[in-house]
Amino acid sequence: MTEKMISAFWGMSILGWIALAAGSLILVFISRNSLFHPRSHGFCRFFVWEILLIQVLRNLNGWFRNPWAGYQVVSWLLLMISIGLVIWGVRLLRELGRQNAALRDANLIGVEKTSHLVTVGLYRYIRHPMYSSLLFLSWGLFFKSPSWVDVGWALLCTVFLVATARMEERENIAYFGEAYIEYMKRSRMFIPFVV
């Protein structure tokens, strides 16, 4: 591949590559414990974050280009849904999840250290609002500047999000037991009434 082809595929300048390296170092630091445990949900989540970082950097130039084009409107709608989901989901976890800082699982970060299963509000309909937020974010980033390469990144992110959610569900069943199994039967993974 020529340098021009590589640049077209990745869609990033030298500055983009520097930002990718810096962002990746931060993500490695945040995920450092999970990266040594490939069967933890944090392991797959690291790759979700990496893909999202790549998507942001690839589409940075397209954020405000043609603001009223249909694809931009769809993008902003998905991004707004993403923000709403993460704010609502974190708020419910903080208020009702009974944070347990003493929880010794090094693979969990901050808000994940809950001792109470939250099944109300948004969690009544979907089990993973934060991952759902990342799903909407990924597809919102795709619509910023749609291309075949970008649909590949969004699909790859979706695959890693499903893997992350399934791994976390195994962990939640081990921690919350039958209550989580029952909860899974009456809720969806990412999108209410759909998936």
PDB file of all heavy atoms in Angstrom, residues 23-50:
ATOM      1  N   GLY A  23      -4.171   9.102  23.084  1.00  0.00           N
ATOM      2  CA  GLY A  23      -5.436   8.551  23.563  1.00  0.00           C
ATOM      3  C   GLY A  23      -5.328   7.083  23.904  1.00  0.00           C
ATOM      4  O   GLY A  23      -5.879   6.617  24.911  1.00  0.00           O
ATOM      5  N   SER A  24      -4.595   6.338  23.093  1.00  0.00           N
ATOM      6  CA  SER A  24      -4.411   4.907  23.347  1.00  0.00           C
ATOM      7  C   SER A  24      -3.654   4.672  24.645  1.00  0.00           C
ATOM      8  O   SER A  24      -3.975   3.754  25.404  1.00  0.00           O
ATOM      9  CB  SER A  24      -3.676   4.246  22.185  1.00  0.00           C
ATOM     10  OG  SER A  24      -4.476   4.293  21.020  1.00  0.00           O
ATOM     11  N   LEU A  25      -2.662   5.494  24.910  1.00  0.00           N
ATOM     12  CA  LEU A  25      -1.922   5.367  26.175  1.00  0.00           C
ATOM     13  C   LEU A  25      -2.838   5.595  27.376  1.00  0.00           C
ATOM     14  O   LEU A  25      -2.766   4.869  28.375  1.00  0.00           O
ATOM     15  CB  LEU A  25      -0.743   6.334  26.215  1.00  0.00           C
ATOM     16  CG  LEU A  25       0.451   5.973  25.344  1.00  0.00           C
ATOM     17  CD1 LEU A  25       1.493   7.094  25.358  1.00  0.00           C
ATOM     18  CD2 LEU A  25       1.078   4.661  25.811  1.00  0.00           C
ATOM     19  N   ILE A  26      -3.711   6.583  27.263  1.00  0.00           N
ATOM     20  CA  ILE A  26      -4.670   6.842  28.346  1.00  0.00           C
ATOM     21  C   ILE A  26      -5.612   5.655  28.522  1.00  0.00           C
ATOM     22  O   ILE A  26      -5.873   5.204  29.640  1.00  0.00           O
ATOM     23  CB  ILE A  26      -5.457   8.145  28.065  1.00  0.00           C
ATOM     24  CG1 ILE A  26      -4.511   9.346  28.163  1.00  0.00           C
ATOM     25  CG2 ILE A  26      -6.643   8.290  29.010  1.00  0.00           C
ATOM     26  CD1 ILE A  26      -5.093  10.636  27.624  1.00  0.00           C
ATOM     27  N   LEU A  27      -6.109   5.106  27.413  1.00  0.00           N
ATOM     28  CA  LEU A  27      -7.019   3.961  27.481  1.00  0.00           C
ATOM     29  C   LEU A  27      -6.331   2.721  28.034  1.00  0.00           C
ATOM     30  O   LEU A  27      -6.932   1.954  28.789  1.00  0.00           O
ATOM     31  CB  LEU A  27      -7.624   3.678  26.102  1.00  0.00           C
ATOM     32  CG  LEU A  27      -8.546   4.763  25.553  1.00  0.00           C
ATOM     33  CD1 LEU A  27      -9.001   4.420  24.141  1.00  0.00           C
ATOM     34  CD2 LEU A  27      -9.742   4.989  26.475  1.00  0.00           C
ATOM     35  N   VAL A  28      -5.077   2.532  27.674  1.00  0.00           N
ATOM     36  CA  VAL A  28      -4.309   1.407  28.240  1.00  0.00           C
ATOM     37  C   VAL A  28      -4.180   1.584  29.744  1.00  0.00           C
ATOM     38  O   VAL A  28      -4.348   0.632  30.517  1.00  0.00           O
ATOM     39  CB  VAL A  28      -2.922   1.278  27.560  1.00  0.00           C
ATOM     40  CG1 VAL A  28      -2.002   0.372  28.360  1.00  0.00           C
ATOM     41  CG2 VAL A  28      -3.074   0.756  26.140  1.00  0.00           C
ATOM     42  N   PHE A  29      -3.889   2.807  30.185  1.00  0.00           N
ATOM     43  CA  PHE A  29      -3.760   3.060  31.620  1.00  0.00           C
ATOM     44  C   PHE A  29      -5.070   2.762  32.353  1.00  0.00           C
ATOM     45  O   PHE A  29      -5.082   2.088  33.375  1.00  0.00           O
ATOM     46  CB  PHE A  29      -3.319   4.505  31.881  1.00  0.00           C
ATOM     47  CG  PHE A  29      -3.217   4.821  33.344  1.00  0.00           C
ATOM     48  CD1 PHE A  29      -2.134   4.377  34.088  1.00  0.00           C
ATOM     49  CD2 PHE A  29      -4.217   5.549  33.978  1.00  0.00           C
ATOM     50  CE1 PHE A  29      -2.043   4.642  35.440  1.00  0.00           C
ATOM     51  CE2 PHE A  29      -4.143   5.823  35.333  1.00  0.00           C
ATOM     52  CZ  PHE A  29      -3.049   5.370  36.068  1.00  0.00           C
ATOM     53  N   ILE A  30      -6.188   3.255  31.822  1.00  0.00           N
ATOM     54  CA  ILE A  30      -7.496   3.030  32.447  1.00  0.00           C
ATOM     55  C   ILE A  30      -7.832   1.539  32.474  1.00  0.00           C
ATOM     56  O   ILE A  30      -8.393   1.036  33.447  1.00  0.00           O
ATOM     57  CB  ILE A  30      -8.597   3.815  31.701  1.00  0.00           C
ATOM     58  CG1 ILE A  30      -8.395   5.311  31.891  1.00  0.00           C
ATOM     59  CG2 ILE A  30      -9.986   3.391  32.157  1.00  0.00           C
ATOM     60  CD1 ILE A  30      -9.265   6.165  30.980  1.00  0.00           C
ATOM     61  N   SER A  31      -7.477   0.817  31.417  1.00  0.00           N
ATOM     62  CA  SER A  31      -7.839  -0.601  31.267  1.00  0.00           C
ATOM     63  C   SER A  31      -6.737  -1.550  31.706  1.00  0.00           C
ATOM     64  O   SER A  31      -6.848  -2.754  31.481  1.00  0.00           O
ATOM     65  CB  SER A  31      -8.189  -0.883  29.804  1.00  0.00           C
ATOM     66  OG  SER A  31      -9.223  -0.053  29.362  1.00  0.00           O
ATOM     67  N   ARG A  32      -5.685  -1.042  32.316  1.00  0.00           N
ATOM     68  CA  ARG A  32      -4.491  -1.850  32.591  1.00  0.00           C
ATOM     69  C   ARG A  32      -4.792  -3.168  33.309  1.00  0.00           C
ATOM     70  O   ARG A  32      -4.207  -4.189  32.976  1.00  0.00           O
ATOM     71  CB  ARG A  32      -3.452  -1.042  33.347  1.00  0.00           C
ATOM     72  CG  ARG A  32      -3.855  -0.610  34.727  1.00  0.00           C
ATOM     73  CD  ARG A  32      -2.897   0.419  35.327  1.00  0.00           C
ATOM     74  NE  ARG A  32      -3.327   0.877  36.626  1.00  0.00           N
ATOM     75  CZ  ARG A  32      -4.262   1.786  36.838  1.00  0.00           C
ATOM     76  NH1 ARG A  32      -4.879   2.327  35.803  1.00  0.00           N
ATOM     77  NH2 ARG A  32      -4.605   2.147  38.061  1.00  0.00           N
ATOM     78  N   ASN A  33      -5.695  -3.173  34.264  1.00  0.00           N
ATOM     79  CA  ASN A  33      -5.998  -4.421  34.975  1.00  0.00           C
ATOM     80  C   ASN A  33      -6.750  -5.404  34.083  1.00  0.00           C
ATOM     81  O   ASN A  33      -6.467  -6.602  34.086  1.00  0.00           O
ATOM     82  CB  ASN A  33      -6.808  -4.125  36.235  1.00  0.00           C
ATOM     83  CG  ASN A  33      -5.997  -3.365  37.259  1.00  0.00           C
ATOM     84  OD1 ASN A  33      -4.816  -3.629  37.441  1.00  0.00           O
ATOM     85  ND2 ASN A  33      -6.622  -2.403  37.910  1.00  0.00           N
ATOM     86  N   SER A  34      -7.691  -4.896  33.316  1.00  0.00           N
ATOM     87  CA  SER A  34      -8.511  -5.757  32.453  1.00  0.00           C
ATOM     88  C   SER A  34      -7.710  -6.361  31.307  1.00  0.00           C
ATOM     89  O   SER A  34      -8.029  -7.451  30.836  1.00  0.00           O
ATOM     90  CB  SER A  34      -9.676  -4.967  31.882  1.00  0.00           C
ATOM     91  OG  SER A  34     -10.522  -4.521  32.909  1.00  0.00           O
ATOM     92  N   LEU A  35      -6.688  -5.670  30.850  1.00  0.00           N
ATOM     93  CA  LEU A  35      -5.918  -6.166  29.710  1.00  0.00           C
ATOM     94  C   LEU A  35      -5.176  -7.456  30.025  1.00  0.00           C
ATOM     95  O   LEU A  35      -4.795  -8.190  29.124  1.00  0.00           O
ATOM     96  CB  LEU A  35      -4.953  -5.091  29.208  1.00  0.00           C
ATOM     97  CG  LEU A  35      -5.641  -3.894  28.550  1.00  0.00           C
ATOM     98  CD1 LEU A  35      -4.617  -2.822  28.180  1.00  0.00           C
ATOM     99  CD2 LEU A  35      -6.439  -4.314  27.333  1.00  0.00           C
ATOM    100  N   PHE A  36      -5.003  -7.757  31.291  1.00  0.00           N
ATOM    101  CA  PHE A  36      -4.366  -9.011  31.704  1.00  0.00           C
ATOM    102  C   PHE A  36      -5.394 -10.103  31.989  1.00  0.00           C
ATOM    103  O   PHE A  36      -5.034 -11.198  32.383  1.00  0.00           O
ATOM    104  CB  PHE A  36      -3.478  -8.790  32.938  1.00  0.00           C
ATOM    105  CG  PHE A  36      -2.291  -7.921  32.654  1.00  0.00           C
ATOM    106  CD1 PHE A  36      -2.264  -6.598  33.051  1.00  0.00           C
ATOM    107  CD2 PHE A  36      -1.201  -8.433  31.954  1.00  0.00           C
ATOM    108  CE1 PHE A  36      -1.169  -5.791  32.777  1.00  0.00           C
ATOM    109  CE2 PHE A  36      -0.105  -7.633  31.672  1.00  0.00           C
ATOM    110  CZ  PHE A  36      -0.092  -6.311  32.081  1.00  0.00           C
ATOM    111  N   HIS A  37      -6.676  -9.779  31.770  1.00  0.00           N
ATOM    112  CA  HIS A  37      -7.759 -10.741  31.996  1.00  0.00           C
ATOM    113  C   HIS A  37      -8.690 -10.764  30.779  1.00  0.00           C
ATOM    114  O   HIS A  37      -9.736 -10.129  30.784  1.00  0.00           O
ATOM    115  CB  HIS A  37      -8.539 -10.358  33.261  1.00  0.00           C
ATOM    116  CG  HIS A  37      -7.701 -10.364  34.485  1.00  0.00           C
ATOM    117  ND1 HIS A  37      -7.129  -9.231  35.001  1.00  0.00           N
ATOM    118  CD2 HIS A  37      -7.299 -11.392  35.274  1.00  0.00           C
ATOM    119  CE1 HIS A  37      -6.420  -9.535  36.063  1.00  0.00           C
ATOM    120  NE2 HIS A  37      -6.502 -10.840  36.245  1.00  0.00           N
ATOM    121  N   PRO A  38      -8.284 -11.504  29.746  1.00  0.00           N
ATOM    122  CA  PRO A  38      -9.058 -11.506  28.489  1.00  0.00           C
ATOM    123  C   PRO A  38     -10.507 -11.968  28.622  1.00  0.00           C
ATOM    124  O   PRO A  38     -11.312 -11.714  27.740  1.00  0.00           O
ATOM    125  CB  PRO A  38      -8.283 -12.463  27.581  1.00  0.00           C
ATOM    126  CG  PRO A  38      -6.930 -12.559  28.179  1.00  0.00           C
ATOM    127  CD  PRO A  38      -7.082 -12.297  29.644  1.00  0.00           C
ATOM    128  N   ARG A  39     -10.864 -12.610  29.720  1.00  0.00           N
ATOM    129  CA  ARG A  39     -12.248 -13.060  29.889  1.00  0.00           C
ATOM    130  C   ARG A  39     -13.092 -12.066  30.671  1.00  0.00           C
ATOM    131  O   ARG A  39     -14.252 -12.326  30.949  1.00  0.00           O
ATOM    132  CB  ARG A  39     -12.284 -14.423  30.561  1.00  0.00           C
ATOM    133  CG  ARG A  39     -11.719 -15.491  29.657  1.00  0.00           C
ATOM    134  CD  ARG A  39     -11.792 -16.839  30.279  1.00  0.00           C
ATOM    135  NE  ARG A  39     -11.205 -17.790  29.363  1.00  0.00           N
ATOM    136  CZ  ARG A  39     -11.665 -18.985  29.176  1.00  0.00           C
ATOM    137  NH1 ARG A  39     -12.706 -19.399  29.848  1.00  0.00           N
ATOM    138  NH2 ARG A  39     -11.087 -19.795  28.328  1.00  0.00           N
ATOM    139  N   SER A  40     -12.511 -10.924  31.017  1.00  0.00           N
ATOM    140  CA  SER A  40     -13.280  -9.895  31.716  1.00  0.00           C
ATOM    141  C   SER A  40     -13.916  -8.954  30.696  1.00  0.00           C
ATOM    142  O   SER A  40     -13.411  -8.786  29.590  1.00  0.00           O
ATOM    143  CB  SER A  40     -12.371  -9.094  32.656  1.00  0.00           C
ATOM    144  OG  SER A  40     -11.542  -8.211  31.924  1.00  0.00           O
ATOM    145  N   HIS A  41     -15.028  -8.347  31.087  1.00  0.00           N
ATOM    146  CA  HIS A  41     -15.708  -7.434  30.165  1.00  0.00           C
ATOM    147  C   HIS A  41     -14.840  -6.227  29.838  1.00  0.00           C
ATOM    148  O   HIS A  41     -14.932  -5.665  28.761  1.00  0.00           O
ATOM    149  CB  HIS A  41     -17.065  -7.005  30.725  1.00  0.00           C
ATOM    150  CG  HIS A  41     -16.990  -6.007  31.829  1.00  0.00           C
ATOM    151  ND1 HIS A  41     -16.747  -6.365  33.135  1.00  0.00           N
ATOM    152  CD2 HIS A  41     -17.115  -4.664  31.817  1.00  0.00           C
ATOM    153  CE1 HIS A  41     -16.725  -5.292  33.886  1.00  0.00           C
ATOM    154  NE2 HIS A  41     -16.955  -4.237  33.114  1.00  0.00           N
ATOM    155  N   GLY A  42     -13.964  -5.848  30.749  1.00  0.00           N
ATOM    156  CA  GLY A  42     -13.096  -4.705  30.522  1.00  0.00           C
ATOM    157  C   GLY A  42     -12.107  -4.915  29.390  1.00  0.00           C
ATOM    158  O   GLY A  42     -11.672  -3.956  28.747  1.00  0.00           O
ATOM    159  N   PHE A  43     -11.753  -6.165  29.126  1.00  0.00           N
ATOM    160  CA  PHE A  43     -10.828  -6.477  28.038  1.00  0.00           C
ATOM    161  C   PHE A  43     -11.442  -6.082  26.694  1.00  0.00           C
ATOM    162  O   PHE A  43     -10.849  -5.345  25.919  1.00  0.00           O
ATOM    163  CB  PHE A  43     -10.472  -7.965  28.064  1.00  0.00           C
ATOM    164  CG  PHE A  43      -9.468  -8.362  27.022  1.00  0.00           C
ATOM    165  CD1 PHE A  43      -8.117  -8.169  27.242  1.00  0.00           C
ATOM    166  CD2 PHE A  43      -9.878  -8.941  25.829  1.00  0.00           C
ATOM    167  CE1 PHE A  43      -7.179  -8.537  26.282  1.00  0.00           C
ATOM    168  CE2 PHE A  43      -8.956  -9.302  24.859  1.00  0.00           C
ATOM    169  CZ  PHE A  43      -7.602  -9.106  25.089  1.00  0.00           C
ATOM    170  N   CYS A  44     -12.661  -6.548  26.447  1.00  0.00           N
ATOM    171  CA  CYS A  44     -13.351  -6.199  25.189  1.00  0.00           C
ATOM    172  C   CYS A  44     -13.722  -4.726  25.150  1.00  0.00           C
ATOM    173  O   CYS A  44     -13.662  -4.093  24.093  1.00  0.00           O
ATOM    174  CB  CYS A  44     -14.602  -7.046  25.012  1.00  0.00           C
ATOM    175  SG  CYS A  44     -14.265  -8.690  24.379  1.00  0.00           S
ATOM    176  N   ARG A  45     -14.080  -4.176  26.315  1.00  0.00           N
ATOM    177  CA  ARG A  45     -14.453  -2.760  26.367  1.00  0.00           C
ATOM    178  C   ARG A  45     -13.285  -1.870  25.933  1.00  0.00           C
ATOM    179  O   ARG A  45     -13.488  -0.842  25.297  1.00  0.00           O
ATOM    180  CB  ARG A  45     -14.910  -2.389  27.779  1.00  0.00           C
ATOM    181  CG  ARG A  45     -15.394  -0.958  27.893  1.00  0.00           C
ATOM    182  CD  ARG A  45     -15.721  -0.592  29.310  1.00  0.00           C
ATOM    183  NE  ARG A  45     -14.565  -0.818  30.151  1.00  0.00           N
ATOM    184  CZ  ARG A  45     -14.639  -1.153  31.437  1.00  0.00           C
ATOM    185  NH1 ARG A  45     -15.803  -1.308  32.021  1.00  0.00           N
ATOM    186  NH2 ARG A  45     -13.547  -1.348  32.138  1.00  0.00           N
ATOM    187  N   PHE A  46     -12.060  -2.278  26.246  1.00  0.00           N
ATOM    188  CA  PHE A  46     -10.883  -1.527  25.806  1.00  0.00           C
ATOM    189  C   PHE A  46     -10.886  -1.366  24.292  1.00  0.00           C
ATOM    190  O   PHE A  46     -10.626  -0.282  23.767  1.00  0.00           O
ATOM    191  CB  PHE A  46      -9.599  -2.227  26.266  1.00  0.00           C
ATOM    192  CG  PHE A  46      -8.363  -1.699  25.592  1.00  0.00           C
ATOM    193  CD1 PHE A  46      -7.790  -0.506  25.997  1.00  0.00           C
ATOM    194  CD2 PHE A  46      -7.781  -2.384  24.531  1.00  0.00           C
ATOM    195  CE1 PHE A  46      -6.666  -0.002  25.360  1.00  0.00           C
ATOM    196  CE2 PHE A  46      -6.659  -1.895  23.894  1.00  0.00           C
ATOM    197  CZ  PHE A  46      -6.097  -0.691  24.312  1.00  0.00           C
ATOM    198  N   PHE A  47     -11.209  -2.428  23.573  1.00  0.00           N
ATOM    199  CA  PHE A  47     -11.221  -2.369  22.105  1.00  0.00           C
ATOM    200  C   PHE A  47     -12.371  -1.497  21.590  1.00  0.00           C
ATOM    201  O   PHE A  47     -12.236  -0.824  20.569  1.00  0.00           O
ATOM    202  CB  PHE A  47     -11.244  -3.770  21.510  1.00  0.00           C
ATOM    203  CG  PHE A  47      -9.976  -4.515  21.786  1.00  0.00           C
ATOM    204  CD1 PHE A  47      -9.915  -5.464  22.798  1.00  0.00           C
ATOM    205  CD2 PHE A  47      -8.819  -4.239  21.082  1.00  0.00           C
ATOM    206  CE1 PHE A  47      -8.740  -6.124  23.081  1.00  0.00           C
ATOM    207  CE2 PHE A  47      -7.629  -4.890  21.356  1.00  0.00           C
ATOM    208  CZ  PHE A  47      -7.587  -5.839  22.360  1.00  0.00           C
ATOM    209  N   VAL A  48     -13.491  -1.493  22.308  1.00  0.00           N
ATOM    210  CA  VAL A  48     -14.589  -0.593  21.956  1.00  0.00           C
ATOM    211  C   VAL A  48     -14.091   0.847  22.036  1.00  0.00           C
ATOM    212  O   VAL A  48     -14.290   1.649  21.118  1.00  0.00           O
ATOM    213  CB  VAL A  48     -15.799  -0.796  22.902  1.00  0.00           C
ATOM    214  CG1 VAL A  48     -16.829   0.318  22.719  1.00  0.00           C
ATOM    215  CG2 VAL A  48     -16.434  -2.160  22.690  1.00  0.00           C
ATOM    216  N   TRP A  49     -13.432   1.186  23.144  1.00  0.00           N
ATOM    217  CA  TRP A  49     -12.921   2.547  23.323  1.00  0.00           C
ATOM    218  C   TRP A  49     -11.897   2.906  22.259  1.00  0.00           C
ATOM    219  O   TRP A  49     -11.872   4.024  21.760  1.00  0.00           O
ATOM    220  CB  TRP A  49     -12.317   2.709  24.712  1.00  0.00           C
ATOM    221  CG  TRP A  49     -13.329   2.729  25.825  1.00  0.00           C
ATOM    222  CD1 TRP A  49     -14.678   2.928  25.716  1.00  0.00           C
ATOM    223  CD2 TRP A  49     -13.063   2.552  27.209  1.00  0.00           C
ATOM    224  NE1 TRP A  49     -15.266   2.869  26.963  1.00  0.00           N
ATOM    225  CE2 TRP A  49     -14.300   2.651  27.890  1.00  0.00           C
ATOM    226  CE3 TRP A  49     -11.913   2.311  27.947  1.00  0.00           C
ATOM    227  CZ2 TRP A  49     -14.401   2.532  29.273  1.00  0.00           C
ATOM    228  CZ3 TRP A  49     -12.017   2.189  29.326  1.00  0.00           C
ATOM    229  CH2 TRP A  49     -13.253   2.303  29.969  1.00  0.00           C
ATOM    230  N   GLU A  50     -11.037   1.956  21.913  1.00  0.00           N
ATOM    231  CA  GLU A  50     -10.032   2.211  20.866  1.00  0.00           C
ATOM    232  C   GLU A  50     -10.694   2.507  19.522  1.00  0.00           C
ATOM    233  O   GLU A  50     -10.310   3.426  18.818  1.00  0.00           O
ATOM    234  CB  GLU A  50      -9.094   1.013  20.715  1.00  0.00           C
ATOM    235  CG  GLU A  50      -7.949   0.977  21.681  1.00  0.00           C
ATOM    236  CD  GLU A  50      -6.923   2.067  21.434  1.00  0.00           C
ATOM    237  OE1 GLU A  50      -6.536   2.324  20.270  1.00  0.00           O
ATOM    238  OE2 GLU A  50      -6.504   2.678  22.425  1.00  0.00           O
TER     239      GLU A  50
END
